[in-house]
Amino acid sequence: MDMIDPFGRTISYLRVSVTDRCDFRCTYCMAEDMAFLPKKDLLSLEELDRLCTVFIEKGVRKLRLTGGEPLVRKNIMHLVRQISRHLESGALEELTLTTNGSQLSRFAADLADCGVKRINVSLDTLDPEKFRQITRWGNLDKVMDGIDAAQAAGLKVKLNAVALKDFNDAELPEMLRWAHGRGMELTVIETMPMGEIDADRTDQYLPLSLLRAALERQFTLTDIPYKTGGPARYVHVAETGGRLGFITPMTHNFCESCNRVRLTCTGTLYMCLGQEDAADLRAPLRASEGNELVADAIDEAIGRKPKGHDFIIDRRTNRPSVSRHMSVTGG
């Protein structure tokens, strides 16, 4: 039942955006005055569980819940508990979560109880004022408390930092030392041209090739074949003993090995983060109590999965490559 796309890639990883809403307004991700989806347009938690189950039956082995901020979705732990039955049966190998950390103090122990072993926390700076600036109204102390709670619950934490020119680039060496000192991995990510924001992305964009060169003036970085199922390429950092990941959609895309599709909270399936083409799964889901129509719609969509994305950031291209914001598809 494995899902194979037109380029022979096996689709085994589903990212599910359970909400487009977020309690932050990160400047590279969304506009300050965002218009979110009406709640009536969202799939119910039961419908999300049903869709996830169909994907698992069709070969998905890793499932990541994203947002927006997934932990602001009402009764989100009900969905996590439902999906966790597939961990218990062995049908699903891993259930993970990407979060901004603001709600982790409330939910970390429950996530661990449901079989979640590791999570990604998005954190771009350790400076409280810069943190408030980049998130517009986030509280760094709450995120730090959340990371403490996650580690206390036994969750493995990986930090994701978007590399932003003249904002956090000089701070990333210290973030690396801090993360590795606490037993956490760090992955740095190039900003992507998704959705209209209030800033010029050409002013934010930092090629990770330049960042790596700067880091190598302080650290000994050795390429390693380590993989987590996502797009990051990893290096071992001799001075800290930890791993550092690079996600480079702009300078060196990872499309040739893409094993991922993305499901939104409205039941829209995006076969590529950097393309507009999508498939509606909500209509076939609601048209029948059985899952045959949904399964057929998924097969048809996988048959249209493109070879890669068309992301561009330069001074000549003022419009985003895709119109939807990152918060719609969850990265």
Side-chain angles (χ1 to χ4, degrees):
M1 293 292 291
D2 284 352
M3 296 177 287
I4 309 294
D5 79 359
F7 303 93
R9 299 170 297 195
T10 299
I11 308 305
S12 58
Y13 181 7
L14 176 67
R15 300 178 66 110
V16 183
S17 176
V18 299
T19 178
D20 68 327
R21 294 172 185 268
C22 187
D23 49 354
F24 292 172
R25 295 291 184 274
C26 293
T27 58
Y28 55 80
C29 181
M30 60 179 72
E32 184 169 10
D33 186 20
M34 283 289 292
F36 293 114
L37 292 166
K39 292 184 178 180
K40 64 179 177 59
D41 290 350
L42 272 59
L43 294 179
S44 68
L45 296 178
E46 290 72 22
E47 288 175 322
L48 282 169
D49 173 50
R50 186 177 157 199
L51 278 178
C52 290
T53 298
V54 175
F55 274 99
I56 292 167
E57 290 173 349
K58 293 180 71 62
V60 161
R61 295 293 172 261
K62 177 178 176 180
L63 194 151
R64 179 178 295 276
L65 300 179
T66 69
E69 168 49 47
L71 296 179
V72 302
R73 174 78 191 251
K74 187 176 181 181
N75 296 325
I76 185 60
M77 288 310 305
H78 173 73
L79 177 63
V80 177
R81 291 187 190 96
Q82 289 297 104
I83 296 175
S84 70
R85 73 187 185 277
H86 300 296
L87 292 172
E88 296 171 4
S89 73
L92 187 65
E93 294 176 2
E94 186 178 42
L95 175 60
T96 60
L97 182 93
T98 294
T99 173
N100 64 26
S102 66
Q103 308 296 319
L104 266 180
S105 293
R106 296 170 54 200
F107 293 109
D110 288 339
L111 288 168
D113 287 343
C114 290
V116 175
K117 302 295 185 186
R118 65 187 186 97
I119 59 172
N120 290 2
V121 177
S122 300
L123 181 64
D124 302 319
T125 176
L126 298 177
D127 183 298
E129 287 307 312
K130 289 172 70 175
F131 183 82
R132 184 171 294 277
Q133 177 186 343
I134 196 71
T135 62
R136 289 196 176 97
W137 54 57
N139 185 328
L140 182 61
D141 287 341
K142 287 184 66 175
V143 174
M144 292 300 185
D145 289 345
I147 290 172
D148 290 343
Q151 291 193 306
L155 295 173
K156 186 178 179 181
V157 177
K158 179 167 77 70
L159 300 181
N160 289 341
V162 176
L164 299 168
K165 184 172 61 177
D166 299 328
F167 179 78
N168 64 353
D169 43 351
E171 186 184 353
L172 288 170
E174 183 55 35
M175 285 190 69
L176 179 64
R177 294 186 183 94
W178 175 78
H180 287 180
R182 292 193 50 161
M184 299 183 290
E185 292 180 15
L186 174 67
T187 292
V188 287
I189 307 170
E190 289 174 337
T191 186
M192 288 174 266
M194 299 185 65
E196 294 286 0
I197 59 173
D198 300 326
D200 186 341
R201 283 194 172 92
T202 54
D203 294 330
Q204 299 177 325
Y205 173 54
L206 174 65
L208 292 193
S209 55
L210 297 181
L211 175 64
R212 176 167 178 164
L215 290 173
E216 286 181 323
R217 291 195 282 270
Q218 300 184 45
F219 303 100
T220 306
L221 307 182
T222 304
D223 292 308
I224 55 175
Y226 177 75
K227 288 285 185 182
T228 63
R233 293 177 172 87
Y234 286 89
V235 299
H236 177 263
V237 184
E239 288 76 7
T240 65
R243 282 190 293 257
L244 172 64
F246 294 95
I247 296 181
T248 54
M250 307 304 299
T251 55
H252 185 269
N253 77 51
F254 35 77
C255 302
E256 73 280 354
S257 60
C258 183
N259 62 344
R260 299 169 294 287
V261 289
R262 294 164 172 83
L263 179 69
T264 76
C265 55
T266 62
T268 301
L269 180 68
Y270 285 97
M271 290 72 79
C272 175
L273 181 65
Q275 300 281 2
E276 298 283 12
D277 188 31
D280 174 27
L281 301 185
R282 180 171 58 184
L285 179 77
R286 294 178 174 176
S288 170
E289 292 185 2
N291 292 328
E292 294 82 4
L293 293 177
V294 173
D296 289 345
I298 293 171
D299 288 340
E300 194 276 335
I302 298 300
R304 304 202 313 267
K305 184 171 170 63
K307 188 173 183 179
H309 64 68
D310 295 322
F311 286 149
I312 297 172
I313 294 180
D314 61 31
R315 293 288 176 188
R316 299 164 297 171
T317 310
N318 295 322
R319 304 288 296 178
S321 296
V322 294
S323 59
R324 67 185 184 278
H325 286 85
M326 179 69 81
S327 59
V328 174
T329 35

